[in-house]
Amino acid sequence: MKPRDLLLALAVVVAWGVNFVVIEVGLENFPPLLFSALRFFFAAVPAIFILGRPRVAWRYVIAVGLALGVAKFGLLFIAMDRGVPAGLSSLVLQSQVIFTVLFAIVVLRERPRSTQVIGILVACAGMVLIMLDRGLSAPLGALSLVIVAGACWGVSNTVTRHAKPQDTLRFMIWVSAVAVVPLLLLSLLTEGPRADLDALRGIDLTGVGALAYLAFVATLFGFGVWGYLLRQYDASIVAPFSLLVPVVGMGTAWLLRGEAIGVQQAVAAVLIIGGMACTVIPRRTPRTTESDERITTQLASR
């Protein structure tokens, strides 16, 4: 991976890690599905009227909009609203790495390198270590929703990789637009018009700030860059970067929300970072020495 793209991937990691604390704050102001719908509304409007239609087939836009916008974030917000804390959510959601690599192998015929497989296994061991320490403190049903959300993210990654949108920002804006109406309808059906109206009437600067961060930083910047990276590299190279998200997420949750981090979590973070290092080791290519070049020239002249 090029140094610039590596820095972009790390910037997305930070944006998405902080995102979980912002979600937790926003859920204090909005019902979960309404919050998700508003997030995508502000990410899409007015940009869709300025940038025009996406330059990929509509089936890809709709598929990612439903898998990522409606399913992944709808389930994640519901799970966090039901008691899964920000740091733990940031961890469990990274099950998407396993789903992404599996879907890429089956659908896109990608073959991860042995170092990538080892790195993912090491990082997943770190995730399991944290779950054994903290996972039992969260409702099992809500945790299951986060895992399903991770699978939906894996579907989204695979479709985006297959679509290869040339303008990832425009693609993400239209994906956001697709998600708005289904999320609003689901909110009205499950959360009720009264709860939605009360939340909108009582909105304050904290709620506005949370919406702004989710719409512009986590959505447009984060997924715009993520889509660009998936277009440039195999999914098995890009997806493992998200394993660093729980490190940032848990650190931010500890710093801003008082979630405890013990020795076991610290060891797990080291495993995750070590696993990440394995996934970005470049493929080795044989070197051509000066003597090799001389021999090749002599053979070509005969």
Side-chain angles (χ1 to χ4, degrees):
M1 183 174 284
K2 297 177 182 178
R4 186 197 67 170
D5 292 342
L6 179 60
L7 290 175
L8 285 174
L10 293 176
V12 173
V13 165
V14 173
W16 283 348
V18 174
N19 179 54
F20 288 88
V21 169
V22 177
I23 292 173
E24 201 168 59
V25 171
L27 288 172
E28 297 172 358
N29 295 266
F30 303 99
L33 292 177
L34 175 65
F35 187 28
S36 191
L38 291 174
R39 170 245 191 101
F40 287 113
F41 175 81
F42 287 111
V45 178
I48 56 172
F49 302 110
I50 299 172
L51 296 181
R53 67 179 298 276
R55 296 170 184 171
V56 296
W58 283 107
R59 64 180 181 273
Y60 296 129
V61 178
I62 294 171
V64 176
L66 295 177
L68 181 72
V70 178
K72 178 212 167 179
F73 281 105
L75 293 172
L76 174 64
F77 281 30
I78 291 172
M80 293 183 68
D81 188 59
R82 293 183 179 178
V84 183
L88 186 59
S89 296
S90 70
L91 166 71
V92 178
L93 189 63
Q94 301 322 310
S95 59
Q96 65 90 11
V97 174
I98 301 171
F99 292 113
T100 297
V101 173
L102 289 176
F103 295 154
I105 290 172
V106 173
V107 179
L108 303 180
R109 305 300 180 186
E110 293 182 5
R111 290 296 179 266
R113 302 191 304 273
S114 58
T115 53
Q116 292 175 318
V117 174
I118 293 170
I120 291 172
L121 291 175
V122 171
C124 286
M127 293 170 59
V128 170
L129 192 62
I130 297 179
M131 288 185 67
L132 290 175
D133 183 55
R134 303 184 64 197
L136 297 178
S137 64
L140 182 60
L143 272 176
S144 300
L145 292 180
V146 181
I147 295 174
V148 176
C152 294
W153 192 0
V155 171
S156 164
N157 286 338
T158 306
V159 174
T160 301
R161 171 69 178 160
H162 190 264
K164 296 183 178 179
Q166 295 301 309
D167 188 339
T168 52
L169 178 60
R170 181 179 303 187
F171 178 72
M172 195 60 222
I173 286 170
W174 279 93
V175 164
S176 299
V178 167
V180 173
V181 173
L183 284 168
L184 280 176
L185 291 175
L186 288 170
S187 177
L188 290 172
L189 289 172
T190 61
E191 296 164 348
R194 181 178 294 275
D196 289 351
L197 286 174
D198 289 344
L200 293 174
R201 287 169 182 163
I203 192 170
D204 55 17
L205 288 177
T206 302
V208 171
L211 280 174
Y213 185 93
L214 293 183
F216 303 118
V217 179
T219 304
L220 295 184
F221 170 76
F223 283 99
V225 172
W226 193 253
Y228 159 77
L229 294 172
L230 284 170
R231 193 177 76 245
Q232 299 296 319
Y233 304 97
D234 286 351
S236 56
I237 293 176
V238 178
F241 274 94
S242 65
L243 289 170
L244 287 174
V245 171
V247 178
V248 178
M250 294 178 68
T252 307
W254 167 76
L255 184 64
L256 300 179
R257 304 290 285 182
E259 289 187 27
I261 298 179
V263 174
Q264 190 164 326
Q265 289 91 340
V267 172
V270 171
L271 289 175
I272 292 171
I273 294 172
M276 272 298 308
C278 292
T279 64
V280 296
I281 294 174
R283 190 186 303 274
R284 299 184 65 181
T285 56
R287 292 184 177 180
T288 301
T289 64
E290 189 175 328
S291 61
D292 291 336
E293 292 177 354
R294 191 161 47 244
I295 293 171
T296 301
T297 303
Q298 291 172 353
L299 289 173
S301 64
R302 291 179 180 177

PDB file of all heavy atoms in Angstrom, residues 46-81:
ATOM      1  N   PRO A  46     -27.599  18.747   0.724  1.00  0.00           N
ATOM      2  CA  PRO A  46     -28.036  18.949  -0.671  1.00  0.00           C
ATOM      3  C   PRO A  46     -27.083  18.385  -1.708  1.00  0.00           C
ATOM      4  O   PRO A  46     -27.222  18.690  -2.896  1.00  0.00           O
ATOM      5  CB  PRO A  46     -28.069  20.474  -0.759  1.00  0.00           C
ATOM      6  CG  PRO A  46     -26.908  20.904   0.084  1.00  0.00           C
ATOM      7  CD  PRO A  46     -26.852  19.916   1.232  1.00  0.00           C
ATOM      8  N   ALA A  47     -26.098  17.576  -1.299  1.00  0.00           N
ATOM      9  CA  ALA A  47     -25.034  17.159  -2.216  1.00  0.00           C
ATOM     10  C   ALA A  47     -25.559  16.426  -3.451  1.00  0.00           C
ATOM     11  O   ALA A  47     -25.010  16.571  -4.548  1.00  0.00           O
ATOM     12  CB  ALA A  47     -24.029  16.283  -1.481  1.00  0.00           C
ATOM     13  N   ILE A  48     -26.634  15.621  -3.305  1.00  0.00           N
ATOM     14  CA  ILE A  48     -27.125  14.857  -4.457  1.00  0.00           C
ATOM     15  C   ILE A  48     -27.615  15.780  -5.575  1.00  0.00           C
ATOM     16  O   ILE A  48     -27.587  15.402  -6.748  1.00  0.00           O
ATOM     17  CB  ILE A  48     -28.245  13.876  -4.053  1.00  0.00           C
ATOM     18  CG1 ILE A  48     -29.402  14.595  -3.370  1.00  0.00           C
ATOM     19  CG2 ILE A  48     -27.702  12.763  -3.177  1.00  0.00           C
ATOM     20  CD1 ILE A  48     -30.605  13.692  -3.137  1.00  0.00           C
ATOM     21  N   PHE A  49     -28.063  16.988  -5.226  1.00  0.00           N
ATOM     22  CA  PHE A  49     -28.552  17.917  -6.240  1.00  0.00           C
ATOM     23  C   PHE A  49     -27.408  18.680  -6.905  1.00  0.00           C
ATOM     24  O   PHE A  49     -27.594  19.284  -7.967  1.00  0.00           O
ATOM     25  CB  PHE A  49     -29.534  18.908  -5.608  1.00  0.00           C
ATOM     26  CG  PHE A  49     -30.705  18.250  -4.942  1.00  0.00           C
ATOM     27  CD1 PHE A  49     -30.836  18.257  -3.562  1.00  0.00           C
ATOM     28  CD2 PHE A  49     -31.661  17.582  -5.694  1.00  0.00           C
ATOM     29  CE1 PHE A  49     -31.912  17.642  -2.943  1.00  0.00           C
ATOM     30  CE2 PHE A  49     -32.744  16.966  -5.085  1.00  0.00           C
ATOM     31  CZ  PHE A  49     -32.869  16.995  -3.705  1.00  0.00           C
ATOM     32  N   ILE A  50     -26.240  18.654  -6.294  1.00  0.00           N
ATOM     33  CA  ILE A  50     -25.088  19.373  -6.823  1.00  0.00           C
ATOM     34  C   ILE A  50     -24.205  18.454  -7.671  1.00  0.00           C
ATOM     35  O   ILE A  50     -23.752  18.829  -8.754  1.00  0.00           O
ATOM     36  CB  ILE A  50     -24.255  19.988  -5.675  1.00  0.00           C
ATOM     37  CG1 ILE A  50     -25.118  20.981  -4.878  1.00  0.00           C
ATOM     38  CG2 ILE A  50     -22.995  20.656  -6.203  1.00  0.00           C
ATOM     39  CD1 ILE A  50     -24.445  21.480  -3.622  1.00  0.00           C
ATOM     40  N   LEU A  51     -23.975  17.236  -7.184  1.00  0.00           N
ATOM     41  CA  LEU A  51     -23.019  16.347  -7.839  1.00  0.00           C
ATOM     42  C   LEU A  51     -23.625  15.483  -8.941  1.00  0.00           C
ATOM     43  O   LEU A  51     -22.908  14.946  -9.772  1.00  0.00           O
ATOM     44  CB  LEU A  51     -22.361  15.439  -6.794  1.00  0.00           C
ATOM     45  CG  LEU A  51     -21.511  16.156  -5.739  1.00  0.00           C
ATOM     46  CD1 LEU A  51     -20.908  15.148  -4.776  1.00  0.00           C
ATOM     47  CD2 LEU A  51     -20.402  16.967  -6.403  1.00  0.00           C
ATOM     48  N   GLY A  52     -24.943  15.306  -8.947  1.00  0.00           N
ATOM     49  CA  GLY A  52     -25.551  14.479  -9.979  1.00  0.00           C
ATOM     50  C   GLY A  52     -25.485  13.000  -9.652  1.00  0.00           C
ATOM     51  O   GLY A  52     -25.010  12.586  -8.592  1.00  0.00           O
ATOM     52  N   ARG A  53     -25.947  12.169 -10.607  1.00  0.00           N
ATOM     53  CA  ARG A  53     -26.087  10.734 -10.373  1.00  0.00           C
ATOM     54  C   ARG A  53     -24.718  10.055 -10.277  1.00  0.00           C
ATOM     55  O   ARG A  53     -23.725  10.540 -10.854  1.00  0.00           O
ATOM     56  CB  ARG A  53     -26.915  10.085 -11.483  1.00  0.00           C
ATOM     57  CG  ARG A  53     -26.234  10.086 -12.835  1.00  0.00           C
ATOM     58  CD  ARG A  53     -27.110   9.400 -13.888  1.00  0.00           C
ATOM     59  NE  ARG A  53     -27.340   8.025 -13.545  1.00  0.00           N
ATOM     60  CZ  ARG A  53     -26.489   7.032 -13.822  1.00  0.00           C
ATOM     61  NH1 ARG A  53     -25.338   7.289 -14.415  1.00  0.00           N
ATOM     62  NH2 ARG A  53     -26.791   5.795 -13.491  1.00  0.00           N
ATOM     63  N   PRO A  54     -24.659   8.921  -9.576  1.00  0.00           N
ATOM     64  CA  PRO A  54     -23.395   8.191  -9.474  1.00  0.00           C
ATOM     65  C   PRO A  54     -23.052   7.512 -10.791  1.00  0.00           C
ATOM     66  O   PRO A  54     -23.932   7.171 -11.582  1.00  0.00           O
ATOM     67  CB  PRO A  54     -23.684   7.146  -8.389  1.00  0.00           C
ATOM     68  CG  PRO A  54     -25.159   6.938  -8.473  1.00  0.00           C
ATOM     69  CD  PRO A  54     -25.751   8.270  -8.833  1.00  0.00           C
ATOM     70  N   ARG A  55     -21.761   7.304 -11.020  1.00  0.00           N
ATOM     71  CA  ARG A  55     -21.317   6.709 -12.287  1.00  0.00           C
ATOM     72  C   ARG A  55     -21.124   5.212 -12.163  1.00  0.00           C
ATOM     73  O   ARG A  55     -20.123   4.657 -12.641  1.00  0.00           O
ATOM     74  CB  ARG A  55     -20.034   7.394 -12.739  1.00  0.00           C
ATOM     75  CG  ARG A  55     -20.241   8.877 -13.044  1.00  0.00           C
ATOM     76  CD  ARG A  55     -18.929   9.592 -13.262  1.00  0.00           C
ATOM     77  NE  ARG A  55     -19.142  11.018 -13.466  1.00  0.00           N
ATOM     78  CZ  ARG A  55     -18.162  11.911 -13.514  1.00  0.00           C
ATOM     79  NH1 ARG A  55     -16.910  11.523 -13.346  1.00  0.00           N
ATOM     80  NH2 ARG A  55     -18.440  13.191 -13.701  1.00  0.00           N
ATOM     81  N   VAL A  56     -22.047   4.562 -11.499  1.00  0.00           N
ATOM     82  CA  VAL A  56     -22.073   3.100 -11.417  1.00  0.00           C
ATOM     83  C   VAL A  56     -23.517   2.663 -11.584  1.00  0.00           C
ATOM     84  O   VAL A  56     -24.447   3.482 -11.520  1.00  0.00           O
ATOM     85  CB  VAL A  56     -21.524   2.582 -10.065  1.00  0.00           C
ATOM     86  CG1 VAL A  56     -20.063   2.933  -9.899  1.00  0.00           C
ATOM     87  CG2 VAL A  56     -22.338   3.132  -8.899  1.00  0.00           C
ATOM     88  N   ALA A  57     -23.726   1.379 -11.825  1.00  0.00           N
ATOM     89  CA  ALA A  57     -25.076   0.856 -11.981  1.00  0.00           C
ATOM     90  C   ALA A  57     -25.884   1.079 -10.705  1.00  0.00           C
ATOM     91  O   ALA A  57     -25.361   0.952  -9.597  1.00  0.00           O
ATOM     92  CB  ALA A  57     -25.020  -0.630 -12.319  1.00  0.00           C
ATOM     93  N   TRP A  58     -27.159   1.390 -10.877  1.00  0.00           N
ATOM     94  CA  TRP A  58     -28.012   1.682  -9.726  1.00  0.00           C
ATOM     95  C   TRP A  58     -28.128   0.500  -8.781  1.00  0.00           C
ATOM     96  O   TRP A  58     -28.340   0.674  -7.579  1.00  0.00           O
ATOM     97  CB  TRP A  58     -29.401   2.104 -10.198  1.00  0.00           C
ATOM     98  CG  TRP A  58     -29.448   3.512 -10.705  1.00  0.00           C
ATOM     99  CD1 TRP A  58     -29.563   3.924 -11.988  1.00  0.00           C
ATOM    100  CD2 TRP A  58     -29.354   4.708  -9.918  1.00  0.00           C
ATOM    101  NE1 TRP A  58     -29.546   5.297 -12.065  1.00  0.00           N
ATOM    102  CE2 TRP A  58     -29.427   5.801 -10.808  1.00  0.00           C
ATOM    103  CE3 TRP A  58     -29.215   4.951  -8.561  1.00  0.00           C
ATOM    104  CZ2 TRP A  58     -29.366   7.120 -10.367  1.00  0.00           C
ATOM    105  CZ3 TRP A  58     -29.154   6.263  -8.116  1.00  0.00           C
ATOM    106  CH2 TRP A  58     -29.226   7.334  -9.008  1.00  0.00           C
ATOM    107  N   ARG A  59     -27.993  -0.718  -9.307  1.00  0.00           N
ATOM    108  CA  ARG A  59     -28.136  -1.890  -8.434  1.00  0.00           C
ATOM    109  C   ARG A  59     -27.064  -1.906  -7.351  1.00  0.00           C
ATOM    110  O   ARG A  59     -27.314  -2.362  -6.225  1.00  0.00           O
ATOM    111  CB  ARG A  59     -28.094  -3.182  -9.247  1.00  0.00           C
ATOM    112  CG  ARG A  59     -26.784  -3.467  -9.962  1.00  0.00           C
ATOM    113  CD  ARG A  59     -26.860  -4.779 -10.744  1.00  0.00           C
ATOM    114  NE  ARG A  59     -25.616  -5.093 -11.430  1.00  0.00           N
ATOM    115  CZ  ARG A  59     -25.304  -4.652 -12.644  1.00  0.00           C
ATOM    116  NH1 ARG A  59     -26.160  -3.859 -13.288  1.00  0.00           N
ATOM    117  NH2 ARG A  59     -24.161  -4.991 -13.212  1.00  0.00           N
ATOM    118  N   TYR A  60     -25.872  -1.391  -7.665  1.00  0.00           N
ATOM    119  CA  TYR A  60     -24.816  -1.331  -6.664  1.00  0.00           C
ATOM    120  C   TYR A  60     -25.122  -0.277  -5.599  1.00  0.00           C
ATOM    121  O   TYR A  60     -24.884  -0.487  -4.407  1.00  0.00           O
ATOM    122  CB  TYR A  60     -23.477  -1.023  -7.320  1.00  0.00           C
ATOM    123  CG  TYR A  60     -22.987  -2.088  -8.266  1.00  0.00           C
ATOM    124  CD1 TYR A  60     -22.581  -1.765  -9.559  1.00  0.00           C
ATOM    125  CD2 TYR A  60     -22.919  -3.419  -7.867  1.00  0.00           C
ATOM    126  CE1 TYR A  60     -22.132  -2.744 -10.431  1.00  0.00           C
ATOM    127  CE2 TYR A  60     -22.472  -4.405  -8.736  1.00  0.00           C
ATOM    128  CZ  TYR A  60     -22.078  -4.056 -10.021  1.00  0.00           C
ATOM    129  OH  TYR A  60     -21.626  -5.034 -10.875  1.00  0.00           O
ATOM    130  N   VAL A  61     -25.633   0.860  -6.039  1.00  0.00           N
ATOM    131  CA  VAL A  61     -25.974   1.936  -5.105  1.00  0.00           C
ATOM    132  C   VAL A  61     -27.060   1.471  -4.146  1.00  0.00           C
ATOM    133  O   VAL A  61     -26.980   1.674  -2.925  1.00  0.00           O
ATOM    134  CB  VAL A  61     -26.440   3.194  -5.870  1.00  0.00           C
ATOM    135  CG1 VAL A  61     -26.839   4.301  -4.895  1.00  0.00           C
ATOM    136  CG2 VAL A  61     -25.345   3.682  -6.809  1.00  0.00           C
ATOM    137  N   ILE A  62     -28.086   0.829  -4.692  1.00  0.00           N
ATOM    138  CA  ILE A  62     -29.198   0.362  -3.856  1.00  0.00           C
ATOM    139  C   ILE A  62     -28.737  -0.744  -2.911  1.00  0.00           C
ATOM    140  O   ILE A  62     -29.088  -0.753  -1.718  1.00  0.00           O
ATOM    141  CB  ILE A  62     -30.355  -0.122  -4.748  1.00  0.00           C
ATOM    142  CG1 ILE A  62     -30.942   1.062  -5.528  1.00  0.00           C
ATOM    143  CG2 ILE A  62     -31.439  -0.799  -3.903  1.00  0.00           C
ATOM    144  CD1 ILE A  62     -31.947   0.666  -6.587  1.00  0.00           C
ATOM    145  N   ALA A  63     -27.922  -1.670  -3.422  1.00  0.00           N
ATOM    146  CA  ALA A  63     -27.446  -2.783  -2.582  1.00  0.00           C
ATOM    147  C   ALA A  63     -26.618  -2.279  -1.415  1.00  0.00           C
ATOM    148  O   ALA A  63     -26.824  -2.706  -0.258  1.00  0.00           O
ATOM    149  CB  ALA A  63     -26.638  -3.760  -3.431  1.00  0.00           C
ATOM    150  N   VAL A  64     -25.684  -1.363  -1.666  1.00  0.00           N
ATOM    151  CA  VAL A  64     -24.861  -0.830  -0.580  1.00  0.00           C
ATOM    152  C   VAL A  64     -25.697   0.033   0.354  1.00  0.00           C
ATOM    153  O   VAL A  64     -25.513   0.019   1.580  1.00  0.00           O
ATOM    154  CB  VAL A  64     -23.658  -0.039  -1.147  1.00  0.00           C
ATOM    155  CG1 VAL A  64     -22.857   0.602  -0.021  1.00  0.00           C
ATOM    156  CG2 VAL A  64     -22.761  -0.956  -1.958  1.00  0.00           C
ATOM    157  N   GLY A  65     -26.632   0.796  -0.209  1.00  0.00           N
ATOM    158  CA  GLY A  65     -27.504   1.622   0.635  1.00  0.00           C
ATOM    159  C   GLY A  65     -28.294   0.796   1.624  1.00  0.00           C
ATOM    160  O   GLY A  65     -28.433   1.164   2.795  1.00  0.00           O
ATOM    161  N   LEU A  66     -28.804  -0.347   1.168  1.00  0.00           N
ATOM    162  CA  LEU A  66     -29.594  -1.207   2.056  1.00  0.00           C
ATOM    163  C   LEU A  66     -28.704  -1.983   3.035  1.00  0.00           C
ATOM    164  O   LEU A  66     -29.027  -2.088   4.223  1.00  0.00           O
ATOM    165  CB  LEU A  66     -30.438  -2.170   1.226  1.00  0.00           C
ATOM    166  CG  LEU A  66     -31.524  -1.527   0.350  1.00  0.00           C
ATOM    167  CD1 LEU A  66     -32.240  -2.585  -0.488  1.00  0.00           C
ATOM    168  CD2 LEU A  66     -32.525  -0.752   1.201  1.00  0.00           C
ATOM    169  N   ALA A  67     -27.588  -2.523   2.525  1.00  0.00           N
ATOM    170  CA  ALA A  67     -26.717  -3.340   3.386  1.00  0.00           C
ATOM    171  C   ALA A  67     -25.982  -2.503   4.410  1.00  0.00           C
ATOM    172  O   ALA A  67     -25.906  -2.855   5.598  1.00  0.00           O
ATOM    173  CB  ALA A  67     -25.715  -4.125   2.529  1.00  0.00           C
ATOM    174  N   LEU A  68     -25.422  -1.377   3.958  1.00  0.00           N
ATOM    175  CA  LEU A  68     -24.616  -0.541   4.840  1.00  0.00           C
ATOM    176  C   LEU A  68     -25.484   0.449   5.622  1.00  0.00           C
ATOM    177  O   LEU A  68     -25.429   0.505   6.856  1.00  0.00           O
ATOM    178  CB  LEU A  68     -23.579   0.222   4.015  1.00  0.00           C
ATOM    179  CG  LEU A  68     -22.633   1.128   4.804  1.00  0.00           C
ATOM    180  CD1 LEU A  68     -21.629   0.286   5.600  1.00  0.00           C
ATOM    181  CD2 LEU A  68     -21.882   2.059   3.851  1.00  0.00           C
ATOM    182  N   GLY A  69     -26.280   1.233   4.895  1.00  0.00           N
ATOM    183  CA  GLY A  69     -27.025   2.299   5.543  1.00  0.00           C
ATOM    184  C   GLY A  69     -28.161   1.801   6.427  1.00  0.00           C
ATOM    185  O   GLY A  69     -28.281   2.197   7.590  1.00  0.00           O
ATOM    186  N   VAL A  70     -28.988   0.913   5.864  1.00  0.00           N
ATOM    187  CA  VAL A  70     -30.169   0.459   6.606  1.00  0.00           C
ATOM    188  C   VAL A  70     -29.821  -0.665   7.575  1.00  0.00           C
ATOM    189  O   VAL A  70     -30.074  -0.565   8.782  1.00  0.00           O
ATOM    190  CB  VAL A  70     -31.276   0.009   5.630  1.00  0.00           C
ATOM    191  CG1 VAL A  70     -32.492  -0.506   6.408  1.00  0.00           C
ATOM    192  CG2 VAL A  70     -31.680   1.153   4.706  1.00  0.00           C
ATOM    193  N   ALA A  71     -29.236  -1.756   7.059  1.00  0.00           N
ATOM    194  CA  ALA A  71     -29.017  -2.944   7.893  1.00  0.00           C
ATOM    195  C   ALA A  71     -27.894  -2.742   8.902  1.00  0.00           C
ATOM    196  O   ALA A  71     -28.101  -2.897  10.116  1.00  0.00           O
ATOM    197  CB  ALA A  71     -28.729  -4.149   7.003  1.00  0.00           C
ATOM    198  N   LYS A  72     -26.689  -2.394   8.406  1.00  0.00           N
ATOM    199  CA  LYS A  72     -25.559  -2.309   9.324  1.00  0.00           C
ATOM    200  C   LYS A  72     -25.786  -1.258  10.398  1.00  0.00           C
ATOM    201  O   LYS A  72     -25.688  -1.528  11.603  1.00  0.00           O
ATOM    202  CB  LYS A  72     -24.273  -2.001   8.566  1.00  0.00           C
ATOM    203  CG  LYS A  72     -23.080  -1.844   9.499  1.00  0.00           C
ATOM    204  CD  LYS A  72     -22.055  -0.857   8.984  1.00  0.00           C
ATOM    205  CE  LYS A  72     -21.072  -0.502  10.094  1.00  0.00           C
ATOM    206  NZ  LYS A  72     -20.039   0.447   9.651  1.00  0.00           N
ATOM    207  N   PHE A  73     -26.073  -0.012   9.976  1.00  0.00           N
ATOM    208  CA  PHE A  73     -26.176   1.053  10.963  1.00  0.00           C
ATOM    209  C   PHE A  73     -27.480   0.994  11.749  1.00  0.00           C
ATOM    210  O   PHE A  73     -27.506   1.361  12.931  1.00  0.00           O
ATOM    211  CB  PHE A  73     -25.992   2.416  10.290  1.00  0.00           C
ATOM    212  CG  PHE A  73     -24.559   2.730  10.017  1.00  0.00           C
ATOM    213  CD1 PHE A  73     -24.055   2.655   8.742  1.00  0.00           C
ATOM    214  CD2 PHE A  73     -23.698   3.055  11.053  1.00  0.00           C
ATOM    215  CE1 PHE A  73     -22.714   2.921   8.489  1.00  0.00           C
ATOM    216  CE2 PHE A  73     -22.358   3.317  10.819  1.00  0.00           C
ATOM    217  CZ  PHE A  73     -21.865   3.257   9.527  1.00  0.00           C
ATOM    218  N   GLY A  74     -28.547   0.537  11.123  1.00  0.00           N
ATOM    219  CA  GLY A  74     -29.781   0.375  11.877  1.00  0.00           C
ATOM    220  C   GLY A  74     -29.602  -0.606  13.025  1.00  0.00           C
ATOM    221  O   GLY A  74     -29.971  -0.334  14.173  1.00  0.00           O
ATOM    222  N   LEU A  75     -29.007  -1.765  12.738  1.00  0.00           N
ATOM    223  CA  LEU A  75     -28.778  -2.776  13.777  1.00  0.00           C
ATOM    224  C   LEU A  75     -27.781  -2.293  14.826  1.00  0.00           C
ATOM    225  O   LEU A  75     -27.951  -2.538  16.024  1.00  0.00           O
ATOM    226  CB  LEU A  75     -28.277  -4.069  13.134  1.00  0.00           C
ATOM    227  CG  LEU A  75     -29.286  -4.807  12.251  1.00  0.00           C
ATOM    228  CD1 LEU A  75     -28.614  -5.956  11.511  1.00  0.00           C
ATOM    229  CD2 LEU A  75     -30.462  -5.324  13.076  1.00  0.00           C
ATOM    230  N   LEU A  76     -26.708  -1.621  14.375  1.00  0.00           N
ATOM    231  CA  LEU A  76     -25.711  -1.129  15.324  1.00  0.00           C
ATOM    232  C   LEU A  76     -26.313  -0.114  16.293  1.00  0.00           C
ATOM    233  O   LEU A  76     -26.091  -0.191  17.511  1.00  0.00           O
ATOM    234  CB  LEU A  76     -24.549  -0.485  14.563  1.00  0.00           C
ATOM    235  CG  LEU A  76     -23.488   0.202  15.435  1.00  0.00           C
ATOM    236  CD1 LEU A  76     -22.777  -0.819  16.320  1.00  0.00           C
ATOM    237  CD2 LEU A  76     -22.493   0.962  14.561  1.00  0.00           C
ATOM    238  N   PHE A  77     -27.081   0.826  15.776  1.00  0.00           N
ATOM    239  CA  PHE A  77     -27.668   1.860  16.635  1.00  0.00           C
ATOM    240  C   PHE A  77     -28.668   1.252  17.619  1.00  0.00           C
ATOM    241  O   PHE A  77     -28.730   1.662  18.780  1.00  0.00           O
ATOM    242  CB  PHE A  77     -28.360   2.928  15.776  1.00  0.00           C
ATOM    243  CG  PHE A  77     -27.415   3.923  15.155  1.00  0.00           C
ATOM    244  CD1 PHE A  77     -26.116   3.577  14.827  1.00  0.00           C
ATOM    245  CD2 PHE A  77     -27.832   5.213  14.874  1.00  0.00           C
ATOM    246  CE1 PHE A  77     -25.247   4.490  14.252  1.00  0.00           C
ATOM    247  CE2 PHE A  77     -26.975   6.137  14.298  1.00  0.00           C
ATOM    248  CZ  PHE A  77     -25.678   5.770  13.988  1.00  0.00           C
ATOM    249  N   ILE A  78     -29.445   0.273  17.158  1.00  0.00           N
ATOM    250  CA  ILE A  78     -30.396  -0.397  18.058  1.00  0.00           C
ATOM    251  C   ILE A  78     -29.643  -1.126  19.158  1.00  0.00           C
ATOM    252  O   ILE A  78     -30.014  -1.062  20.342  1.00  0.00           O
ATOM    253  CB  ILE A  78     -31.290  -1.372  17.267  1.00  0.00           C
ATOM    254  CG1 ILE A  78     -32.250  -0.597  16.355  1.00  0.00           C
ATOM    255  CG2 ILE A  78     -32.086  -2.264  18.221  1.00  0.00           C
ATOM    256  CD1 ILE A  78     -33.035  -1.496  15.407  1.00  0.00           C
ATOM    257  N   ALA A  79     -28.565  -1.834  18.788  1.00  0.00           N
ATOM    258  CA  ALA A  79     -27.784  -2.584  19.769  1.00  0.00           C
ATOM    259  C   ALA A  79     -27.178  -1.659  20.820  1.00  0.00           C
ATOM    260  O   ALA A  79     -27.215  -1.949  22.026  1.00  0.00           O
ATOM    261  CB  ALA A  79     -26.684  -3.373  19.068  1.00  0.00           C
ATOM    262  N   MET A  80     -26.618  -0.530  20.383  1.00  0.00           N
ATOM    263  CA  MET A  80     -26.030   0.408  21.338  1.00  0.00           C
ATOM    264  C   MET A  80     -27.107   1.050  22.199  1.00  0.00           C
ATOM    265  O   MET A  80     -26.893   1.307  23.393  1.00  0.00           O
ATOM    266  CB  MET A  80     -25.222   1.472  20.588  1.00  0.00           C
ATOM    267  CG  MET A  80     -23.983   0.918  19.902  1.00  0.00           C
ATOM    268  SD  MET A  80     -22.970   2.169  19.091  1.00  0.00           S
ATOM    269  CE  MET A  80     -22.350   3.086  20.513  1.00  0.00           C
ATOM    270  N   ASP A  81     -28.274   1.298  21.632  1.00  0.00           N
ATOM    271  CA  ASP A  81     -29.375   1.849  22.412  1.00  0.00           C
ATOM    272  C   ASP A  81     -29.856   0.859  23.469  1.00  0.00           C
ATOM    273  O   ASP A  81     -30.381   1.263  24.516  1.00  0.00           O
ATOM    274  CB  ASP A  81     -30.525   2.225  21.469  1.00  0.00           C
ATOM    275  CG  ASP A  81     -31.633   2.982  22.173  1.00  0.00           C
ATOM    276  OD1 ASP A  81     -31.366   4.062  22.737  1.00  0.00           O
ATOM    277  OD2 ASP A  81     -32.784   2.490  22.161  1.00  0.00           O
TER     278      ASP A  81
END
